[in-house]
Amino acid sequence: MRLSAEHLSLRYNGRDAVHDVSLDLESGELIAIVGPNGSGKTTLLRGLSRLLKPTTGHVLLDGEEIRSMAPRAVAQRLAVLPQEHPEGVDVTVRELVWRGRAPHQGILQRATPADHEAVAWAMEAADVHDVAGRSLGSLSGGERQRAWVALALAQQPRVLLLDEPTSFLDVQHQVEIMALLSRLNDQGMTIVAVLHDLALAGRFMQRVIGMRDGSVAFDGPPAEVLRPEPLEEVFGVPMIVLEDPESGLPVPLPGYPDAAGGASTS
Amino acid sequence: MAGATAETPGAMSFLVPRGQSRKHVALACAGVLALALIGLLTMMFGAVNLSAGEALSGLAASSDSLSGLVVGQIRLPRFLDAILVGGALGVAGALLQGVTRNPLGDPTIFGLTAAAGLATATAISINPQIPQWGITLAAMIGGLGGAGILFVIAYRGAVSPVRLALAGVALSALFGAITVGLLASVRTFIQTTLGFLAGGLYGADWADLYSILPYALPALVAAVALSGRLNVLSLGDDVATGLGVLADRTRLAILVVAGVLTASAVAVAGLVGFVGLLSPHVARYISGSDNRYLIPASALVGAIIVTAADLVAKLVITPSEIPMGIITAALGAPFLLYLVRFKV
């Protein structure tokens, strides 16, 4: 399943946040979108997942204009997990995950064996079996985030879009979520995640798209684009990029503004 | 709890749905029994008292006999009116509480009742001889107008509960004042006016039932059909859109259905308060918070409250009666105080 943006421009909160972006997100890719606050990465994700109507341009899902497709038909193939979840949702984890079946169910949401299977798989994959009977409000941050991920997985999407799925999580839970995304990707799911943490992007993702001022500044495999010059251009601070001694993957770190001239990776 | 997810899929999983325990099913059965019991008492007691046997045989008898006349032409239609009014108000309350994510959601508090009442009073004051279908039509116009105003206020996402309730209180006060002014300026039958303002089923008959059925029944079916989408909508607009539910369109549909249900109740019973507020909160004990079960449960609870209140209203100062709305207010107002103090 291929997701494409064609000359996409988007307005968000009264601001032109994304200008004329064209991208092809190929089937089976594992993609991070990075960039400073206000660079338009969340807006781009909202546009790609049809939460936001483009001012100009199109989003195509397998060549079909996403806004002219039936909302349910899109939801059967594409799931999106927004960054912020509403407060005071008074449901158990199991009920929440079941609601992910809505796009596949009839009007009274009568459960079929396929639904049971999908829910069981989603709860297994996101590791929320142990908390299935607990209400959402009683969970820790990491458990709650995994419950929302399970909701999206219950849709059995071919494309999964996530906005900062690791924010507010501790290191262990960050790694768990990223490992989950990798496993899902191994099973053929296309994954696009907005990430703040460049080290996580470098370690887990296959392609990194850097946004600056609403445009794509760089786009490529981590080893090619997570280098000091492109990162400095995007983030506006000196950057150091270390090499992970085991995998050889790039580990970007902010440098010292004072020593801008001297910051070098040798 | 992990074992519970391994339940065998199949027909039973629909009959005893997820998260529904035997306790819930037993409570629902108890509710239906309670409604049947209230029905029996309603057929028996009033200006003329009948034995249980006479009341039941009166259901089948022709209206030539006394019991046949009293039961078949007066008590049965009024009881069915009470069921429909209570069911409509209970479901309207559940829809409004769900769509606004506000435990104070209620047709009276949000001004829907007052809007339907104003339109009804306007129609009556223009033509005091207006037939029942005309009153119902006027109530529908008012109810839909009220729903439109509510949609404009609550157009996007979760509106602050305080703002919605404040706007509703303001609208209720405005519409209510105009309604009383209109009715006071027309020298119409005073008991009818009082019954309308306080809410009551005095003289409710088959004609009332037939006039609201074409609106109320489709609206009740629509409410059940929308209940799954209401569940999804409660997860927030973004998640709902991601799951293929268009948030604004669903919100509008739900408010329209709530408006029609409120108008149905107002057309027959006048300004009955608190049933819409009370019913969903009680129904949650029966059904849990899943709207697919909460909405039918709210209809059941609403029907029980209104039929019971109507029975009490007929019996306290028999052979005269007090407006039924006074009984629901006497029940509902303390419950609202309890909610404000301990729950909201």
Side-chain angles (χ1 to χ4, degrees), chain B residues 113-123 142 174-180 182 196 266 271:
Chain B
T113 308
L118 174 58
T120 311
T122 307
L174 176 65
F175 293 160
I178 302 172
T179 303
V180 174
L182 273 173
F196 177 79
V266 169
L271 310 179

Side-chain angles (χ1 to χ4, degrees), chain B residues 36-46 75 311:
Chain B
L37 181 65
I38 295 166
L40 179 64
L41 295 175
T42 303
M43 299 308 137
M44 287 165 64
F45 299 112
R75 289 181 186 169
L311 181 63

Side-chain angles (χ1 to χ4, degrees), chain B residues 85-86 88-115 146-147 150 161 164-169 171-172 255 258-259 261-262 265 271-281 284 302 305 328-329 332-333 335-336 339:
Chain B
V85 165
L89 289 175
V91 171
L95 291 175
L96 291 173
Q97 288 177 15
V99 79
T100 61
R101 282 175 234 157
N102 182 346
L104 288 176
D106 168 72
T108 305
I109 290 177
F110 286 170
L112 286 183
T113 308
L150 205 52
L164 256 185
L166 279 179
V169 166
L171 286 174
S172 289
L255 289 175
L261 290 171
T262 306
L271 310 179
V272 182
F274 292 110
V275 178
L277 177 69
L278 199 58
S279 305
H281 289 288
R284 256 179 218 110
I305 292 174
T328 61
F335 184 73
L336 179 57
L339 267 189

Side-chain angles (χ1 to χ4, degrees), chain A residues 71-104:
Chain A
R72 275 165 58 92
V74 177
Q76 288 168 5
R77 294 180 242 177
L78 180 147
V80 55
L81 196 60
Q83 186 187 356
E84 283 174 19
H85 309 303
E87 292 295 313
V89 178
D90 172 33
V91 294
T92 63
V93 171
R94 184 180 294 115
E95 280 179 288
L96 179 74
V97 179
W98 266 99
R99 286 182 192 178
R101 295 305 295 165
H104 298 273

Side-chain angles (χ1 to χ4, degrees), chain B residues 14-86:
Chain B
F14 183 64
L15 289 176
V16 183
R18 306 182 299 277
Q20 306 301 105
S21 65
R22 286 211 175 85
K23 189 190 93 188
H24 291 139
V25 177
L27 280 171
C29 292
V32 174
L33 280 179
L35 190 58
L37 181 65
I38 295 166
L40 179 64
L41 295 175
T42 303
M43 299 308 137
M44 287 165 64
F45 299 112
V48 183
N49 290 341
L50 304 172
S51 72
E54 284 174 320
L56 289 177
S57 63
L59 283 174
S62 74
S63 31
D64 298 337
S65 67
L66 176 68
S67 61
L69 182 70
V70 168
V71 171
Q73 293 306 312
I74 298 173
R75 289 181 186 169
L76 179 63
R78 181 167 169 164
F79 179 64
L80 295 177
D81 281 327
I83 289 180
L84 204 53
V85 165

